[in-house]
Amino acid sequence: MGLFSFVKEAGDKLWDAVSGNNNRAEQGEKLKEHINNLGIPDADKIDVQVAEDGTATVGGDIVSQAIREKIMVAVGNVAGISQVNDNMSATEAGDESRYYTVKSGDTLSAISKAMYGTANEYQRIFEANKPMLKHPDKIYPGQVLIIPKK
């Protein structure tokens, strides 16, 4: 799939991103644990490595394109991660989704209107981003969301 960019300063705080004293192997394990804690399937089948520049490389064999996208977004929406290099392979092919970076003042309804032409599809975006999103009103600037095909 390739390399995807994220806002390095935005996202879940899994470690002290400011400190350069972090062990890269530990960061990879913390990211795997984060994916597992979110309840995303196939977390046990992936390997995550973090480079000094904040690039996370995710590899492994997973079930579907939808799970692949959730893993990418879950890893990328962690403070300290600037890019995610996707080296995963999915056994079940599927349509690739688009991605949207949340701006200040955005709502899922407004994003739905911009992406689909109607605000009524916000629930589709919310469902595609579960379990990373717990509530439709809990999005933040810099967060990257999956925008599934209609």
Side-chain angles (χ1 to χ4, degrees):
M1 247 175 109
L3 192 65
F4 295 87
S5 295
F6 292 83
V7 178
K8 190 172 184 175
E9 296 79 26
D12 294 322
K13 309 277 190 265
L14 298 186
W15 57 75
D16 182 5
V18 178
S19 169
N21 300 328
N22 294 313
N23 179 314
R24 301 290 168 213
E26 284 180 26
Q27 289 178 340
E29 287 303 314
K30 284 186 180 183
L31 285 167
K32 278 184 69 169
E33 183 180 323
H34 174 61
I35 294 164
N36 193 45
N37 289 343
L38 287 171
I40 299 173
D42 293 342
D44 58 330
K45 297 178 183 175
I46 64 166
D47 178 54
V48 182
Q49 297 175 356
V50 181
E52 196 164 315
D53 68 352
T55 299
T57 300
V58 183
D61 297 322
I62 52 163
V63 174
S64 70
Q65 178 67 26
I67 292 172
R68 173 191 228 157
E69 291 171 353
K70 286 181 188 267
I71 290 171
M72 294 288 295
V73 169
V75 169
N77 284 327
V78 169
I81 300 298
S82 59
Q83 297 180 330
V84 178
N85 186 17
D86 176 12
N87 286 339
M88 292 179 283
S89 59
T91 55
E92 295 175 16
D95 290 334
E96 286 187 31
S97 297
R98 294 179 287 172
Y99 298 90
Y100 180 86
T101 302
V102 177
K103 295 183 245 6
S104 182
D106 274 345
T107 64
L108 287 186
S109 294
I111 295 167
S112 173
K113 176 93 170 132
M115 295 289 116
Y116 299 126
T118 176
N120 297 333
E121 295 290 332
Y122 77 93
Q123 194 67 29
R124 177 187 305 271
I125 298 169
F126 177 65
E127 290 297 324
N129 288 279
K130 276 182 168 179
M132 288 80 64
L133 292 182
K134 306 283 189 244
H135 190 279
D137 293 334
K138 303 290 183 186
I139 61 174
Y140 56 86
Q143 182 178 29
V144 176
L145 299 175
I146 299 166
I147 308 296
K149 291 201 178 207
K150 203 169 176 185

